[in-house]
Amino acid sequence: GCGRLTGVSNPITIRASGSRFGSWMTDTMTPSADTRVWYMDGYYKGRRVLEFRTLKDFVSGQNFVQHLLPHPWAGTGHVVFNGSLYYNKYQSNIVVKYHLGSRSVLVQRSLAGAGYNNTFPYSWGGFSDIDFMVDENGLWAVYTSNQNAGNIVVSRVDPQSLEVLRSWDTGYPKRSAGESFMICGTLYVTNSHLAGAKIYFAYYTNTSSYEYTDIPFHNQYSHISMLDYNPRERVLYTWNNGHQVIYNVTLFHVIKTSGEL
């Protein structure tokens, strides 16, 4: 069941590797028997995606294959969803769906009006203009545009065609956000990428409303450049200053009694 985020566990460091910035993930949708890990070091012009067979292999740095993407990536906002990697093509607002099994681009499409090339990044920079994420409701893109005056836009995206299905203007300035992630249709935004950060703002797409929150989370290595929720595992994945870290989340479930809508 879905719920509202009420707490984040202490960080669990999985591995220390790579540069200060990067991205790592498991598939957000496949059966739990598939435990492959994908690893993308760096935040721009990269094309090398490492695929590890299991988390144990990832920790030891063994048993991986390499994908060489036809187009380099920008930022760290990539996501693996149902066997495909979704990412922002470098120096453009084009989003790409790359199928990991056939090693081919299935579709690419311009995200109309979206800023790119460090026009509207998160506070840490790093070409983080366009951020893909997946939650219990599907695939999302978080970005902003001149039209939205630099405020975070959340868009539901069709995973097949990459068409935007619906968008919400959250009113939160993206350059003031450390990172963000979606859980159960709610966008959660941190107020910094540095030490002392907290989850500061929540935007509820189901009611098109927002509130300020105060959910602490321990930023152990003081520089987060990627933060993503995996709905299959119910954990947050982060890249923190060359460390690959996960957090467990606590969701508060509102139990509806009979007679309530």
Side-chain angles (χ1 to χ4, degrees):
C2 257
R4 188 171 288 203
L5 180 68
T6 56
V8 175
S9 75
N10 280 323
I12 303 155
T13 302
I14 303 298
R15 188 181 174 193
S17 67
S19 66
R20 192 174 193 191
F21 317 95
S23 175
W24 73 294
M25 66 216 83
T26 53
D27 198 315
T28 49
M29 189 175 167
T30 54
S32 56
D34 181 353
T35 58
R36 288 176 296 168
V37 175
W38 288 271
Y39 177 86
M40 298 164 72
D41 190 11
Y43 64 85
Y44 77 116
K45 291 205 288 197
R47 290 175 56 202
R48 202 166 72 114
V49 182
L50 302 187
E51 177 186 304
F52 293 85
R53 196 179 53 183
T54 64
L55 185 64
K56 188 178 173 188
D57 288 334
F58 173 66
V59 170
S60 64
Q62 296 173 329
N63 293 327
F64 64 87
V65 295
Q66 177 176 289
H67 299 265
L68 203 60
L69 299 175
H71 310 296
W73 71 70
T76 56
H78 336 296
V79 72
V80 174
F81 177 57
N82 200 22
S84 291
L85 171 72
Y86 295 80
Y87 72 97
N88 175 210
K89 184 178 172 181
Y90 179 57
Q91 289 191 316
S92 74
N93 60 11
I94 291 169
V95 291
V96 178
K97 178 184 182 181
Y98 172 85
H99 188 254
L100 292 154
S102 62
R103 296 174 174 258
S104 61
V105 171
L106 297 186
V107 60
Q108 50 182 322
R109 176 184 290 273
S110 174
L111 200 56
Y116 61 93
N117 234 21
N118 263 344
T119 309
F120 297 113
Y122 290 120
S123 60
W124 66 273
F127 297 85
S128 57
D129 302 75
I130 296 171
D131 191 0
F132 275 115
M133 39 193 82
V134 172
D135 73 352
E136 291 79 0
N137 299 344
L139 181 68
W140 305 81
V142 166
Y143 56 98
T144 188
S145 65
N146 286 318
Q147 187 185 346
N148 294 88
N151 291 331
I152 292 176
V153 177
V154 184
S155 292
R156 276 290 305 277
V157 176
D158 184 313
Q160 305 305 325
S161 67
L162 295 182
E163 286 183 80
V164 169
L165 303 173
R166 187 178 167 192
S167 294
W168 293 259
D169 184 343
T170 66
Y172 194 95
K174 187 157 182 285
R175 283 176 167 275
S176 300
E179 266 286 342
S180 66
F181 55 91
M182 297 288 299
I183 299 180
C184 298
T186 299
L187 181 77
Y188 294 96
V189 180
T190 70
N191 61 345
S192 171
H193 60 282
L194 301 171
K198 62 184 178 181
I199 298 161
Y200 180 70
F201 178 86
Y203 187 87
Y204 305 100
T205 59
N206 60 341
T207 55
S208 302
S209 63
Y210 68 88
E211 68 175 345
Y212 289 93
T213 58
D214 187 5
I215 303 170
F217 78 112
H218 181 38
N219 183 350
Q220 187 171 359
Y221 305 106
S222 303
H223 197 290
I224 286 179
S225 59
M226 168 248 168
L227 180 59
D228 250 345
Y229 174 67
N230 184 311
R232 179 175 66 128
E233 300 168 15
R234 289 252 158 118
V235 300
L236 296 172
Y237 278 70
T238 77
W239 187 292
N240 195 339
N241 223 344
H243 298 79
Q244 292 74 51
V245 178
I246 59 173
Y247 296 85
N248 292 306
V249 298
T250 304
L251 303 181
F252 177 72
H253 304 278
V254 179
I255 310 298
K256 296 222 160 109
T257 56
S258 59
E260 280 185 39
L261 290 177

